[in-house]
Structures are given as C-alpha cells and as structure tokens.
C-alpha cells in the first residue's frame, strides 16, 4: 500500500500525536526526494528499528547556494511514493515551503568548526541551510531516531553536533553508502549525468580506493594527491573541489592515515557536482 502523504504540519502532528500516545517510537528519514536505493536503505533501517517511520521529502531552498542547482534538482514525487511502497513506511511528509519557512521566519542555525572545510568551504551557506532545516524536521516529526547516510559524511557529523548541542532528544544513526555496481555512490544528482558522463563517473571512487590502499601501505597524501587528481581530471572531470584525508570525528586534515580516517572528494563532471567519501 502506498503510504499516506501529509503536506501540512498540522496533519503531520495529528498523526504523530496518536503514535506518541500509544508509546510508539518514531523514526525519520529526511530526504530531498528523487529516491534511490541509498534512500531506501535508510528507510529500511528505520523500519527495522522503529514502530513508525516517516520519510520526509523537502527540497530545501536554503541549502542551495546556486539557483540553477535548485532549479535543476530532480523532482519525482509520485515515483518516490511508489518506491517506498514495498518498505512499508507509515507516512510521507512533503511539506510546502510555507510549512517549513512561514512568513516572518528569521532563524538560522550555524554549526561552527565542522562546516569550515570540505563542502562548507566550497558551498557558502549550504550547511546553515542544512542545520536550520534538520532541527525543524526533528521537532516537527517528534522522532526518536533519525537516519542519515554516510554518503554525506560531513552532513552526518554536523547533524550529530547540532542534535547534541540543542539537546534534541533524538538518536542520529549513520548508515553506509550504497553504490552502483561500478562503484559510483548513488545520488539523486546522478540522474543529471548524460550517458557519456555516467560512464566516466566511477573513476572518482576508483581513485579513492587506490588511495586508500596506498595510505594503508604507508603512503602520504602529499605523495598521492597530485597523481590522483590528474587521473580524475584526465578521465573527464572538469574541476576538483577537494580530495583530502580527514579524521572521521573532527574532520581535521591529515597527511597520513590513522584509525577512523576517511578520504573525502568532491568533483565536477559535465556541470554536475559529485561527492563521495570512504573509510581508510
Ligand atoms: P538527499 O536526498 O540527497 O538529501 O539525501 C537524503 C539522505 O539520504 C541523506 O542522509 C543522505 O546521506 C542519504 N543518502 C544519499 N545517497 C546515499 C547513498 N548512496 N547511500 C546511503 N545514503 C545516501
């Protein structure tokens, strides 16, 4: 059965009030739609853990630093609802912008430190947008558990930080990155790649895996990075925003690997910005 869709906060709260009264646990999976197996894996994790599962679909204008990117972002709501059918989620919450940012909305949440680097450095305002909408979705749904993908690892750390800092009573659960067969991390943005670009896209993950193996054999980022970047550009990417090794908790820049370290990359392929990260 297709899950009911709620478009208003009042409708959402009417449902969650009944669940809370029955002492049922609620899990929320925040998404921007154009759902793929990565999103569905989060919904499955929520289904396994919680009595009630809410998937939210909101293309958050505040987290887009580029108006064209917002305009071109894929919107496939009916398909999305169909994809969630087999998982048995309880509710799909698709708020209009006025349900999230009503007239007079004036609050911005900023998480300092963690947002200075990586995507924070190349997408000004992006993490303020994320850090402002996520607590709203947490409070609107009154969820006990929230499920986020490691695919957006910096975002996951930012969300963990803000939930702890704001005493939001929710447990943030990170879920592994789901990949296509050729290694490309699944992403709604992959839909924007032409067939020709799609063939080139897995090079990013391939290069990162080779870097991981070399780091584990004692190589340094200083030695590996020039060649790795050259390979990515040679494969057809036009620009690399970053290709870095960082600590998994504090995201501090590293030259050599240590426990918990991850390789982070963001690169442009035919006008589409792809990001990925892997544990070393
Ligand atoms: P988005 O719709 O891109 O905002 O993503 C919504 C959630 O799905 C975020 O928590 C993402 O990290 C997660 N997600 C996106 N792609 C993947 C993937 N390939 N594997 C696992 N989770 C993902």
């Amino acid at each position: 059965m297709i899950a009911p869709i709620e478009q208003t906060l009042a409708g959402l709260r009417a449902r969650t009030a009944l669940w809370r009264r029955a002492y049922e646990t609620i899990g929320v999976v925040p998404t921007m739609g154009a759902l793929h197996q990565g999103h569905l894996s989060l919904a499955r994790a929520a289904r396994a853990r919680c009595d009630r599962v809410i998937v939210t679909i909101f293309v958050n204008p505040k987290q887009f630093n580029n108006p064209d990117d917002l305009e071109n972002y894929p919107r496939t709501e009916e398909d999305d609802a169909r994809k969630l059918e087999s998982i048995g989620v309880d509710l799909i919450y698709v708020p209009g912008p006025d349900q999230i940012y009503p007239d007079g909305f004036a609050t911005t949440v900023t998480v300092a430190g963690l947002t200075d680097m990586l995507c924070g450095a190349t997408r000004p305002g992006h993490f303020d947008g994320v850090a402002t909408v996520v607590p709203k979705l947490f409070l609107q749904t009154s969820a006990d558990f929230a499920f986020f993908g490691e695919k957006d690892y910096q975002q996951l750390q930012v969300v963990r930080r803000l939930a702890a800092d704001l005493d939001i009573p929710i447990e943030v659960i990170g879920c592994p990155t789901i990949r296509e067969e050729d290694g490309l991390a699944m992403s709604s943005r992959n839909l924007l790649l032409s067939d020709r670009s799609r063939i080139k896209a897995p090079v990013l993950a391939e290069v990162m895996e080779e870097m991981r193996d070399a780091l584990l054999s004692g190589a340094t980022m200083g030695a590996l990075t020039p060649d790795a970047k050259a390979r990515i550009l040679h494969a057809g990417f036009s620009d690399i925003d970053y290709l870095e090794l960082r600590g998994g908790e504090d995201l501090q820049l590293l030259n050599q690997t240590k426990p918990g370290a991850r390789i982070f990359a963001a690169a442009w392929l035919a006008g589409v910005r792809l990001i990925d990260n892997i544990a070393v």
Side-chain angles (χ1 to χ4, degrees):
M1 207 181 68
I2 288 209
I5 296 179
E6 274 300 346
Q7 296 181 323
T8 67
L9 175 55
L12 170 70
R13 287 211 162 126
R15 287 178 192 271
T16 55
L18 296 176
W19 299 343
R20 298 231 71 97
R21 228 170 284 155
Y23 296 101
E24 291 175 319
T25 56
I26 300 175
V28 66
V29 180
T31 80
M32 297 204 298
L35 301 185
H36 50 65
Q37 287 300 327
H39 299 113
L40 300 188
S41 75
L42 305 184
R44 275 191 206 100
R47 180 70 287 162
R49 180 91 184 238
C50 308
D51 297 321
R52 299 290 182 172
V53 177
I54 304 172
V55 173
T56 71
I57 299 178
F58 180 61
V59 182
N60 175 29
K62 285 195 193 291
Q63 72 188 67
F64 285 80
N65 54 311
N66 173 341
D68 287 345
D69 191 21
L70 174 61
E71 176 79 10
N72 293 334
Y73 201 84
R75 287 170 173 82
T76 59
E77 224 171 83
E78 276 176 27
D79 273 2
D80 291 347
R82 231 171 287 125
K83 285 182 189 158
L84 290 168
E85 218 179 320
S86 63
I87 298 172
V89 309
D90 295 280
L91 186 64
I92 305 173
Y93 179 47
V94 191
D98 61 329
Q99 301 299 297
I100 303 288
Y101 305 120
D103 279 349
F105 186 87
T107 300
T108 299
V109 179
T110 297
V111 176
L114 284 173
T115 59
D116 295 343
M117 74 262 314
L118 300 174
C119 289
T122 42
R123 299 185 68 191
H126 168 69
F127 282 116
D128 281 1
V130 170
T132 301
V133 79
V134 165
K136 292 211 53 145
L137 294 170
F138 286 180
L139 296 170
Q140 290 195 348
T141 57
S142 70
D144 305 283
F145 299 91
F147 297 81
F148 284 83
E150 289 182 345
K151 158 79 173 27
D152 301 281
Y153 193 88
Q154 186 178 15
Q155 168 175 280
L156 172 62
Q157 294 306 92
V158 167
V159 168
R160 286 191 162 128
R161 183 78 259 159
L162 73 85
D165 288 355
L166 300 178
D167 302 315
I168 303 178
I170 197 163
E171 187 179 329
V172 177
I173 296 171
C175 303
T177 302
I178 305 298
R179 297 177 180 279
E180 303 286 356
E181 268 178 25
D182 59 13
L184 175 66
M186 289 192 185
S187 165
S188 308
R189 286 201 167 81
N190 296 351
L191 291 176
L192 304 174
L193 294 171
S194 67
D195 289 351
R196 267 189 70 209
S197 299
R198 175 62 190 80
I199 292 169
K200 301 171 183 168
V203 168
L204 190 61
E206 263 166 51
V207 169
M208 292 167 75
E209 280 176 19
E210 285 169 20
M211 291 178 88
R212 176 194 57 204
D213 295 345
L215 287 165
L216 288 172
S217 312
T220 63
M221 285 300 280
L224 294 173
T225 308
D227 258 15
K229 284 190 170 175
R231 276 196 55 202
I232 292 166
L233 294 172
H234 184 72
F237 283 76
S238 59
D239 253 308
I240 299 171
D241 282 352
Y242 55 78
L243 177 63
E244 293 173 349
L245 179 71
R246 288 183 176 266
E249 295 258 311
D250 56 8
L251 306 185
Q252 283 312 300
L253 195 60
L254 300 172
N255 188 35
Q256 271 179 306
T257 193
K258 67 172 194 183
R262 304 182 80 89
I263 301 171
F264 293 85
W268 292 84
L269 179 59
V272 181
R273 187 174 182 276
L274 301 180
I275 66 170
D276 201 351
N277 71 92
I278 60 169
V280 180

